DNA sequence: AATACAAGTGCAAACGATTGAACAGCACCA
DNA sequence: TGGTGCTGTTCAATCGTTTGCACTTGTATT
């Protein structure tokens, strides 16, 4: 049987309260007693029961990370994995634990989180769902449950968030290709429902504006967020005619990689005929032919910051909403030339 | 304030015990009462407090997934990510939660897990550490704490594990290249400390044996587990001379991809001069030039099985050790020819 | 000498559930 | 009339902590 606080108390000839106070470094405990109790705890390999502890103290040492409802897809996007690493590293430094909550459950994403918070297991949450589910968020706000979202929300309310400056990033890559003389730059993968893609596309427009240019309407290709491949017909349509793009800014690396493959099949060379850039700096981009120019968005940094913010929110429940932009970095490789 | 079991009891005009029994579908509760209580629970959005629940019932709904001590490296290997997905999907189907335990903490991997189990938070663990830390495992066994390890241990003791049949896999890929006429097959990335690589290498030898061949001693390249790249000098040494390999079996895709790049720099063509195969079916292998022939080890399946086994171990503490081999599949792409 | 104050501990009531044992009511049987 | 056996419910103890309050001492203050 595992040792409890009572066992320690008995062995040390003090009351459980005293042991408890030793545990929490209460100032009114004499150095002598503290030392003796600590020795016994070590000797008996005592570990306080977190359940009992949290039950009465209302302090939670576990935080939840909520992945988008379609766990199948989300967990297969390495981006989330990197974020997770950032969170996890931060958390373990502060003696917090990370609980994974995938929405792939019988229950809906939101319901699951509400269960998690009401059941007292977790003390805060980080939402990795780029498309902020209003119902859930509202419920969290009402219950004053500490949480941070990744990706900044549409209306800026009282919520904590971290994100990249996707407009600036979109602008930077577009300027990069414009600076290399490309004049018919396409944007691939806009999905207005998702802030990430919308912002990157806005940056794309901004860059044109600054350069006194205006991109062709047909050169902005919308596609659903989850899909990674432009259909062959659309691709052929886009890249035929004399006004065909000589560059493509893709909202993510996966789209870019698929496109490079398909362009080759169409007899177009990268980067000679078409320059291609992506976002997220996937590992795969390093090994493609040519290697993919992309944007490192520092997903791990996003995760770390998200955790820091959450920690703040948990410790100071009435603090104002904090937000943080994580710097990105253009990674030049062969696909632009 | 959140509703407690007492609130429900009061509102329903019954005792807390009755509410508790409704919650657990106790047979002795009348249908009528059960219905009434349930209605009230719904109305008041009642969620039982898991902390209190676990404290008394000793049932834990959280399991820990322990990543190798160097979380930095481990969490950056997509393999673990896939495993994690498998575990997570399985767990959420059974209403379990997954807690991530990276060893990157101030504390050592083992210490952290022991804290986790003693503190009562988690009811079982899945160890993703391929190199089984004996001290930890021993401690777990002694405490009769349910756990499953990924990758099968050296001495087969009473522990539960899941793994691929890496010997068979190593044999299969080697036979694949031998069947295509390659006769000087190298094996890249043996690290005797790691069972995975040792087994794959054993399979490589087995294939040769079956074909009545014996590989050149110098064609087996040892390298530390964590490294992904053969140093330029060693590579040049290996691929010079008339006996240079015409094929390379690499213990994982990352090594294979790096090697393909370096071979190109050496003026050797893949697959014409050298056939290359890897393991794990990384996403990156799909986009390389040429696309990489590899082995799908079904990491997600490994995760799912690990969870199933753990569930069994938690429910039947005295059941014998269960083990499971997950099938692999050869993925033929362009790098063998 | 009486009082005040601080330091160091212990008591006992929470926290929010579960669960074995006891009990009340009712039907049935002889 | 009383015993027996169900059924449905409540009682009260328990899980392992934390924490406000009360209680002893010992020392300083008046």
């Amino acid at each position: 049987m595992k040792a409890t606080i009572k066992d320690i108390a008995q062995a040390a000839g003090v009351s459980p309260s005293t042991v408890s106070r030793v545990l929490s470094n209460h100032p009114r405990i004499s150095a002598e007693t503290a030392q003796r109790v600590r020795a016994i705890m070590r000797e008996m390999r005592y570990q306080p029961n977190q359940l009992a502890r949290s039950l009465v103290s209302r302090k939670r040492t576990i935080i939840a990370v909520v992945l988008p409802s379609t766990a199948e897809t989300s967990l297969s996007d390495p981006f989330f994995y990197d974020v997770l690493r950032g969170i996890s590293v931060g958390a373990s430094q502060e003696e917090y634990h990370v609980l994974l909550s995938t929405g792939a459950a019988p229950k809906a994403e939101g319901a699951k989180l509400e269960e998690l918070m009401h059941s007292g297991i977790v003390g805060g949450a980080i939402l990795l769902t780029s498309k902020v589910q209003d119902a859930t968020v509202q419920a969290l706000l009402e219950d004053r449950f500490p949480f941070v979202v990744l990706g900044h929300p549409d209306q800026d309310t009282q919520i904590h968030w971290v994100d990249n400056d996707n407009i600036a990033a979109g602008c930077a890559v577009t300027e990069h290709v414009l600076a290399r003389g490309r004049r018919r730059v396409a944007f691939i993968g806009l999905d207005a429902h998702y802030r990430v893609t919308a912002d990157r596309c806005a940056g794309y427009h901004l860059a044109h504006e600054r350069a006194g240019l205006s991109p062709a309407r047909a050169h902005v290709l919308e596609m659903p967020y989850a899909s990674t491949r432009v259909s062959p017909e659309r691709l052929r349509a886009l890249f035929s005619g004399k006004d065909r793009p000589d560059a493509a800014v893709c909202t993510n690396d996966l789209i870019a990689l698929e496109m490079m493959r398909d362009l080759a099949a169409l007899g177009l060379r990268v980067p000679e005929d078409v320059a291609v850039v992506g976002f997220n700096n996937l590992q795969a981009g390093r090994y493609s032919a040519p290697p993919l120019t992309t944007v490192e968005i520092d997903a791990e940094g996003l995760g770390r910051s998200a955790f820091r913010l959450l920690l703040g929110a948990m410790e100071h429940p009435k603090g104002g909403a904090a937000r943080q932009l994580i710097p990105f970095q253009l990674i030049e490789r062969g696909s632009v030339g």
Side-chain angles (χ1 to χ4, degrees), chain A residues 232-266:
Chain A
E233 307 84 59
R234 292 186 75 190
L235 196 74
R236 195 166 311 119
L238 180 63
F239 283 97
S240 55
K242 56 185 267 288
D243 274 351
R244 66 164 179 77
D246 55 6
V249 172
C250 307
T251 35
N252 66 55
D253 283 355
L254 227 41
I255 297 180
L257 289 166
E258 294 280 1
M259 170 164 292
M260 292 209 298
R261 256 200 333 206
D262 291 340
L263 285 176
L266 248 56

Side-chain angles (χ1 to χ4, degrees), chain A residues 78-124:
Chain A
F79 166 72
F80 291 103
Y81 194 48
D82 291 338
V83 175
L84 199 53
R85 178 167 66 242
I87 297 174
S88 171
V89 167
S92 87
Q93 278 167 0
E94 301 288 338
E95 309 258 338
Y96 273 81
H97 294 121
V98 174
L99 189 143
L100 230 52
S101 170
T102 67
K107 324 197 171 194
E109 177 182 340
K112 187 147 183 211
L113 180 54
E114 284 188 55
E115 179 200 321
L116 233 34
M117 60 177 259
H118 278 126
S119 67
I121 299 181
V122 305

